[in-house]
Amino acid sequence: MSRKNQAIKRELVLDPVYESKLITQLVNSIMVSGKKSLARKIVYKALDIVKEKANDEPLKVFEKAIENIKPQLEVKTRRIGGANYQVPIEVSEARKTTLAIRWLVSYARIRNGRTMEDKLALEIFDAAQGNGSAVKKRDEIHRAAEANKAFAHYKW
């Protein structure tokens, strides 16, 4: 990554069915080898399963799941005087969402289940209820930040 210039953030195109940027981000992170139509099918089927299971609007359930997964703090390694410290820092809003979607997809992929639609739907449903692997990951990150809050004065 270049140290000179900040990368320009491109505006995401809204999802055609739900008209949501979050769904677009989810589709883009599910996508493998540029197969966006297959990724959309997976996401839409997963949201249909969530709709049946939760008896609620699937977009609301998905947004609640993302809110439950978003981390408030994270730790970054900082080298000071020959020693490495895990310094807790606050996470920007864009990075919170990106991390939440990344964790949701990665834990859905390693989950036991038949199809990716089922695994993704179960992970979304669990995260919306406040449990699930992605929520546990957020809790681990918060515990690490809490344990290292003594080094918070090394922020840059």
Side-chain angles (χ1 to χ4, degrees):
M1 188 167 147
S2 174
R3 292 175 182 254
K4 290 182 181 178
N5 298 335
Q6 190 81 14
I8 299 169
K9 293 280 184 190
R10 287 179 285 160
E11 197 64 31
L12 285 176
V13 179
L14 292 179
D15 178 62
V17 174
Y18 292 97
E19 296 179 358
S20 168
K21 288 184 182 180
L22 272 179
I23 300 293
T24 303
Q25 277 187 291
L26 180 64
V27 167
N28 289 342
S29 65
I30 292 276
M31 181 171 51
V32 177
S33 301
K35 298 189 177 186
K36 187 170 256 185
S37 60
L38 180 62
R40 278 194 179 133
K41 285 179 190 174
I42 290 170
V43 170
Y44 295 152
K45 285 182 184 176
L47 290 174
D48 288 341
I49 294 169
V50 167
K51 183 178 183 179
E52 292 171 10
K53 196 165 186 165
N55 296 327
D56 198 7
E57 187 66 31
L59 187 60
K60 284 172 47 178
V61 174
F62 177 65
E63 287 173 351
K64 185 172 187 216
I66 292 297
E67 283 301 317
N68 287 344
I69 299 172
K70 282 183 181 181
Q72 302 301 315
L73 297 170
E74 69 178 343
V75 291
K76 285 204 172 186
T77 305
R78 180 116 196 257
R79 185 171 178 87
I80 296 165
N84 292 326
Y85 297 106
Q86 295 285 327
V87 180
I89 60 165
E90 290 183 16
V91 185
S92 70
E93 195 59 41
R95 183 160 168 79
K96 284 180 191 180
T97 306
T98 303
L99 285 173
I101 290 174
R102 182 184 306 160
W103 294 340
L104 183 77
V105 170
S106 65
Y107 285 110
R109 282 197 173 120
I110 62 175
R111 192 178 183 121
N112 290 331
R114 293 188 310 268
T115 62
M116 185 59 191
E117 294 94 1
D118 293 334
K119 296 191 286 188
L120 183 61
L122 289 173
E123 193 65 37
I124 290 171
F125 188 71
D126 285 348
Q129 291 183 333
N131 49 19
S133 302
V135 177
K136 288 180 187 169
K137 172 74 170 178
R138 185 220 40 205
D139 292 341
E140 288 175 18
I141 297 291
H142 282 187
R143 267 196 298 279
E146 187 68 27
N148 291 302
K149 70 178 179 181
F151 303 121
H153 63 282
Y154 287 131
K155 281 184 187 176
W156 57 95

